[in-house]
Amino acid sequence: QACTYPCQCPSQPLQCPAGTSHVLDACGCCKVCARQLGELCSLQKPCDHHKGLYCDFSKIHRGSGICLAHEGATCDLLGKIYHNGESFQPTCKLQCICMDGAIGCIPLCSDDLRLPSPECPNPRRVKFRNKCCEEWICEEGSEENRFETAMAVFREDPAQKPELNNLQENCLVQTTEWSACSKSCGMGISARVTNDNPQCRLEKETRLCMVRPCDFPTEKTKKGKKCVRTPKPRQSLHFEFSGCTSTRSYRPKFCGSCTDGRCCTPYLTSTVDVEFRCPEGDFFQRKMMFIKMCSCHYDCPRDNDIFLATYHRRMIGDHV
């Protein structure tokens, strides 16, 4: 199809299945839902290059092709083998993909948190029959409990009564610590919950994190020491995320390694906005963890175990 300029894109927001990337069409005009492994593709319907897929035109004629994955390592999950680029659902709550030996998953159920309020003093998540995801319900409480709940969430300034529509002015800010990075090497995700927003609503925040690159060279420990805690790379590097690259280079600290069976994980961190540029020319910003100090301990995560992980160690603080 010939390209027409200026670009004319649908006014409706793009609705794609869970785990499907938004990519530019061949004209560089409009975002479209990327085609997945085994699906038909064309210049106007490109494959999901974030997942290492490409459009193979050798098997089908008339300008159409089929999405194939570049050669890569397979994934083994609980004894079942998945090919590189293959999407699958291990449970009704997760949509996963095998990416060159690593498994990445996104939740299909909302993990929002509901703060008690005078209208809903006792919110509770309930599992309904024939439904995979739990849903919130409100349980009625006494007037006394309702008042106590409201007082716990909002504080009142006796000197100056806040405006009713200014929730942030009388919001008691609550923020959890950042969770441990989801991957022991390479780019992962760290999360926390906070209500530090204009609506005073508990929301989940995420940031990118990299404890160490997967090809990070192991440094020799000094005499008498068994761990290298926070080495720096010898050269500055660009971060890569979902096929996009950071616009500037960094020299971050990483967590090192130990020779006595302990593992090193972030202990003190900061959060910085990092700008990424994609091959399509788009720019976006994501929060990213930068390590200040690591600690060595025996409470180690199990390697390549994203579903059965018992690792719940948290970082103690975030210094912005």
Side-chain angles (χ1 to χ4, degrees):
Q1 297 176 12
C3 299
T4 56
Y5 297 98
C7 298
Q8 292 182 339
C9 300
S11 57
Q12 297 296 325
L14 195 59
Q15 299 288 335
C16 299
T20 301
S21 303
H22 295 185
V23 295
L24 284 173
D25 59 23
C27 298
C29 275
C30 308
K31 288 289 182 78
V32 295
C33 298
R35 297 293 164 148
Q36 303 303 301
L37 186 69
E39 293 182 350
L40 292 177
C41 54
S42 66
L43 291 176
Q44 295 298 335
K45 297 174 181 177
C47 299
D48 201 335
H49 63 84
H50 295 141
K51 298 176 181 176
L53 303 181
Y54 68 96
C55 195
D56 182 5
F57 293 98
S58 64
K59 297 179 175 62
I60 301 178
H61 301 291
R62 294 183 183 174
S64 291
I66 189 166
C67 285
L68 299 179
H70 292 289
E71 286 297 321
T74 58
C75 302
D76 182 352
L77 178 65
L78 303 178
K80 189 164 184 182
I81 302 297
Y82 297 95
H83 296 289
N84 181 39
E86 183 177 355
S87 294
F88 58 96
Q89 275 188 252
T91 72
C92 64
K93 294 184 178 182
L94 289 172
Q95 177 74 42
C96 302
I97 185 170
C98 172
M99 297 179 68
D100 196 17
I103 297 174
C105 296
I106 59 169
L108 298 176
C109 296
S110 171
D111 56 354
D112 61 322
L113 293 175
R114 187 159 183 176
L115 199 65
S117 65
E119 295 78 24
C120 184
N122 298 305
R124 188 164 64 91
R125 292 190 91 145
V126 174
K127 179 80 171 73
F128 291 100
R129 184 181 288 183
N130 300 329
K131 285 193 176 181
C132 175
C133 302
E134 297 172 334
E135 295 182 7
W136 286 102
I137 63 167
C138 288
E139 289 185 346
E140 288 297 325
S142 65
E143 287 297 322
E144 186 178 345
N145 288 344
R146 188 174 293 195
F147 178 73
E148 287 176 1
T149 302
M151 289 298 292
V153 176
F154 297 100
R155 61 170 180 259
E156 187 171 342
D157 183 1
Q160 179 185 5
K161 235 180 173 171
E163 296 288 332
L164 289 175
N165 61 351
N166 192 349
L167 288 174
Q168 205 164 19
E169 194 171 320
N170 66 333
C171 177
L172 185 61
V173 174
Q174 304 167 75
T175 304
T176 66
E177 301 292 348
W178 288 103
S179 68
C181 193
S182 61
K183 294 183 75 172
S184 58
C185 77
M187 195 68 81
I189 299 290
S190 174
R192 71 177 179 183
V193 175
T194 182
N195 66 339
D196 191 6
N197 52 63
Q199 293 77 33
C200 191
R201 184 185 301 135
L202 279 177
E203 293 179 344
K204 185 177 179 181
E205 284 185 345
T206 59
R207 64 176 180 176
L208 301 175
C209 53
M210 185 184 289
V211 178
R212 63 185 65 81
C214 291
D215 56 354
F216 198 51
T218 305
E219 292 199 4
K220 291 182 179 179
T221 55
K222 292 181 181 177
K223 192 173 182 181
K225 295 213 168 191
K226 296 183 178 178
C227 294
V228 178
R229 281 200 303 185
T230 49
K232 263 191 175 184
R234 291 184 176 87
Q235 296 178 333
S236 59
L237 54 86
H238 289 268
F239 294 116
E240 290 189 5
F241 173 65
S242 191
C244 307
T245 306
S246 63
T247 54
R248 54 161 290 195
S249 61
Y250 298 86
R251 259 195 94 205
K253 288 181 179 178
F254 294 121
C255 289
S257 56
C258 301
T259 58
D260 59 356
R262 286 184 289 173
C263 52
C264 264
T265 56
Y267 182 63
L268 283 173
T269 68
S270 63
T271 303
V272 176
D273 285 324
V274 175
E275 186 179 61
F276 289 86
R277 186 180 190 280
C278 301
E280 298 93 344
D282 288 2
F283 289 87
F284 67 89
Q285 278 194 341
R286 285 294 298 267
K287 293 183 184 297
M288 184 157 181
M289 176 189 82
F290 279 77
I291 296 169
K292 289 182 173 289
M293 186 187 300
C294 299
S295 66
C296 299
H297 51 84
Y298 288 103
D299 181 19
C300 299
R302 285 190 267 171
D303 289 337
N304 201 25
D305 191 356
I306 59 171
F307 301 109
L308 309 174
T310 57
Y311 179 62
H312 298 296
R313 193 177 184 90
R314 295 292 187 265
M315 289 162 273
I316 68 161
D318 187 53
H319 302 264
V320 179

